Amino acid sequence: MRGRGCTCCFTGHRPEKLPWGGDEADPRCAALKKKLYDAVEAAYDEGMRHFICGMARGCDFYFAEAVLALRRRREDVSLEAAVPCPSQADGWPEEDRNRWRSLLAQCDLETLVQDQYTRGCMLRRNRYMVDHSALVIAVYDGAGGGTRRTLEYALRQRVPFVDIDPQNP
């Protein structure tokens, strides 16, 4: 089941903006992942069945993994990868590229937002996600950047969001 009324998307920080960086063994990371899973579960309880992920490193990966965990328990859950451009993962470390490919392979749908990289492709991807969603889940610390711009856009579009503070998971 897809449609804006039952769709939730995600925005959040890359590892470089998280207090623990890329150290997923850090207890704060585990706490954030638990809060994210709980937010996905709460969105499901509110009627969200389709989830869109921008497939970036860091919190996007955590979100996709939370949705996939929920899908193992709820067969009516679907996950869409909103890929900004085919080269999204090209410059990442091999471990992140492999994780991206694995997550992408588990998605029910892949939307390629544009055919090649441009300066605006990430913004376009974020707007696509908000424009197709009734709810946004965000991991946001108040700093500037793509997550902030995505939430500002969601506010202008009157799409509500759930904010999870990575400083206090």
Side-chain angles (χ1 to χ4, degrees):
M1 173 190 335
R2 281 196 297 269
R4 184 174 187 160
C6 64
T7 299
C8 172
C9 71
F10 175 79
T11 187
H13 297 308
R14 310 296 186 274
E16 298 79 17
K17 282 193 159 185
L18 297 171
W20 53 87
D23 181 8
E24 292 186 44
D26 188 295
R28 296 170 295 176
C29 184
L32 175 68
K33 288 180 178 184
K34 171 76 168 94
K35 274 193 170 181
L36 197 47
Y37 181 84
D38 290 347
V40 168
E41 180 94 26
Y44 180 89
D45 291 344
E46 292 174 21
M48 302 298 137
R49 299 296 183 265
H50 184 66
F51 296 83
I52 307 174
C53 180
M55 301 302 292
R57 295 169 48 248
C59 292
D60 280 28
F61 285 177
Y62 309 162
F63 173 77
E65 290 162 353
V67 172
L68 292 170
L70 179 64
R71 189 177 73 183
R72 286 190 286 276
R73 294 183 32 247
R74 308 279 190 198
E75 63 186 39
D76 57 345
V77 168
S78 60
L79 178 60
E80 175 180 354
V83 178
C85 61
S87 62
Q88 179 181 22
D90 287 358
W92 297 351
E94 183 178 354
E95 182 179 334
D96 289 334
R97 287 193 316 270
N98 290 339
R99 190 173 182 181
W100 180 81
R101 283 193 280 282
S102 173
L103 290 170
L104 195 59
Q106 296 175 71
C107 288
D108 300 286
L109 175 67
E110 179 183 342
T111 299
L112 183 61
V113 177
Q114 59 185 57
D115 293 331
Q116 62 185 16
Y117 174 82
T118 63
R119 282 189 51 192
C121 70
M122 304 301 172
L123 174 65
R124 193 165 172 217
R125 182 259 332 260
N126 295 344
R127 288 186 173 193
Y128 165 83
M129 293 191 305
V130 171
D131 288 344
H132 290 85
S133 296
L135 178 67
V136 177
I137 296 174
V139 170
Y140 178 57
D141 66 2
T147 300
R148 180 184 197 137
R149 287 191 295 279
T150 302
L151 291 176
E152 288 170 348
Y153 182 72
L155 282 170
R156 287 193 304 275
Q157 301 305 307
R158 295 186 169 91
V159 177
F161 63 87
V162 174
D163 184 14
I164 300 169
D165 181 358
Q167 303 290 340
N168 186 20

